[in-house]
């Protein structure tokens, strides 16, 4: 798709940590091009580079891989309203509070909003989407359109911790059936945004509490593993207990998981099931899709954040130490990039799937 044919998009909350990752991915994207960068009132009218404390490598706003011009640093930020920043596709990196009013306004104006916010994740007609796991749930976008009479809508990606966990559980749920899960997370500081957690709080420390996290993970995971029936999602029938911790790691959530599966499969059968897992994004060769959504490690000390988190552009999750659990049957470690697979990259992959299915107006 040539530059002129690429679909124009808006990034809401463009100056934040997730917003920056949207920008960095979009300046090199073959299907989408940035039309508007939107931010809060205090930043409107300022240059992106001036208003944004850039947290990623390279120059502010990134650089297009095939062009000599700089990225988005010189762009002027506009208000986060449809009047100032409409595009047919909108990527939202807003906090949940502002998202409750702003995202529906763009949807009502005819945009499809791909949201990283939590505001509408559990709305019964909003797809909570991980394309390899529950691509069928994207049909809820049509339900929204029938109700509104328009062409807009909202599609959410889940909480980053739930995303990493669900990508590991989904192939096991399909092959065997997941009954019970115990999960302990060790979550990176980037998950708290910027400036995030104070260095005096996190350095040399583990914080055993992340607000609302332990409630979100079971609810969202059951929804994603559920089935679409008569226009509604029926959550998977499983029991999940989550214990969530903030640790002094920059990017990458690690989770220790114990799971009871129907049929009591062997660790070898579980590892093979995970390694063979592929989904619709891989079948369609979507631009942001990793070749292997789940990478299974055999080394006894993997996965490790420093060695594995960037593999597949941060879009693969990594499973290792698949072994017997004396309590639930199987246990393993899973790790994934919270700010890519769990945030910006996830929303972008959702938009690519919608585009491949003909659900976006160019």
């Amino acid at each position: 798709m040539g530059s002129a044919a690429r679909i124009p998009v808006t990034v809401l909350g463009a100056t934040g940590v997730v917003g920056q990752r949207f920008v960095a991915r979009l300046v090199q994207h073959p299907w989408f091009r940035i039309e508007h960068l939107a931010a809060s009132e205090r930043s409107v009218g300022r240059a992106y580079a001036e208003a944004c404390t850039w947290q990623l490598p390279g120059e502010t706003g990134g650089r297009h891989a095939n062009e000599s011009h700089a990225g988005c640093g010189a762009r002027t930020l506009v208000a986060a309203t449809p009047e100032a920043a409409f595009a047919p596709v909108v990527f939202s990196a807003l906090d949940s509070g502002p998202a409750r009013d702003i995202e529906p306004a763009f949807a009502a104006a005819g945009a499809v909003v791909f949201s990283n916010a939590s505001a509408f994740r559990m709305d019964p007609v909003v797809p909570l989407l991980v394309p390899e796991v529950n691509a069928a749930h994207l049909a809820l976008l049509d339900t929204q359109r029938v109700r509104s009479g328009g062409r807009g809508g909202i599609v959410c990606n889940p909480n980053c911790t739930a995303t990493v966990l669900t990508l590991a559980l989904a192939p096991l749920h399909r092959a065997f059936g997941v009954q019970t899960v115990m999960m302990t997370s060790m979550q990176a500081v980037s998950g708290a945004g910027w400036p995030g957690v104070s260095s005096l709080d996190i350095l040399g420390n583990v914080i055993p509490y992340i607000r609302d996290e332990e409630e979100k993970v079971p609810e969202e995971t059951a929804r994603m593993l559920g089935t679409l029936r008569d226009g509604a999602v029926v959550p998977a029938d499983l029991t999940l207990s989550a214990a969530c911790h903030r640790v002094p790691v920059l990017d990458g959530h690690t989770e220790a998981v114990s799971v009871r599966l129907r049929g009591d499969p062997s660790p070898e059968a579980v590892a093979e099931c995970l390694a063979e897992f592929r989904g619709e994004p891989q079948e369609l060769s979507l631009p942001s899709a990793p070749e292997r959504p789940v990478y299974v490690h055999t080394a006894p000390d993997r996965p490790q954040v420093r060695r594995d988190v960037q593999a597949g552009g941060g879009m693969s999750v990594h499973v290792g130490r698949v072994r017997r659990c004396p309590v639930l049957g199987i246990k393993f470690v899973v790790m994934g990039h919270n700010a890519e697979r769990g945030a910006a990259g996830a929303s972008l992959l959702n938009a690519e799937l919608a585009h491949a299915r003909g659900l976006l107006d160019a």
Side-chain angles (χ1 to χ4, degrees), residues 249-252 254 302-311 335:
V249 167
L250 181 59
D251 294 314
T254 301
R302 302 282 284 278
Q304 296 180 22
V305 168
R306 286 176 59 183
R307 298 176 68 180
D308 301 315
V309 76
Q310 296 294 343
M335 183 275 295

Side-chain angles (χ1 to χ4, degrees), residues 166-188:
T166 300
L167 274 163
L169 292 180
L172 304 180
H173 193 55
R174 291 180 188 177
F176 309 110
V178 172
Q179 295 180 306
T180 306
V181 182
M182 295 284 292
M183 185 276 289
T184 299
S185 72
M186 293 149 277
Q187 298 182 213

Side-chain angles (χ1 to χ4, degrees), residues 264-276:
D264 192 29
S266 67
E268 293 76 17
V270 167
E272 182 179 7
C273 173
L274 291 166
E276 292 179 350

Side-chain angles (χ1 to χ4, degrees), residues 295 297-304 307-308 318-321 333:
Y295 191 100
H297 295 263
T298 57
D301 61 349
R302 302 282 284 278
Q304 296 180 22
R307 298 176 68 180
D308 301 315
H318 299 260
V319 173
R321 302 204 67 211
V333 176

Side-chain angles (χ1 to χ4, degrees), residues 84-165:
F86 181 82
V89 173
V90 173
F91 293 103
S92 174
L94 296 171
D95 290 335
S96 59
R100 289 193 178 278
D101 295 322
I102 295 172
E103 292 179 359
F106 275 90
V112 183
V113 181
F114 294 91
S115 176
N116 186 67
S118 63
F120 298 102
R121 284 178 184 159
M122 300 309 295
D123 187 305
V125 296
V126 172
L128 184 65
L129 194 63
V130 175
E132 290 93 343
V133 174
N134 61 338
H137 293 194
L138 193 56
L140 290 173
L141 186 58
D142 289 327
T143 304
Q144 290 182 57
R145 289 170 166 176
V146 168
R147 291 188 179 185
S148 69
R151 291 294 299 162
I154 298 173
V155 178
C156 289
N157 53 276
N159 168 276
C160 47
T161 311
T163 300
V164 173
L165 177 63

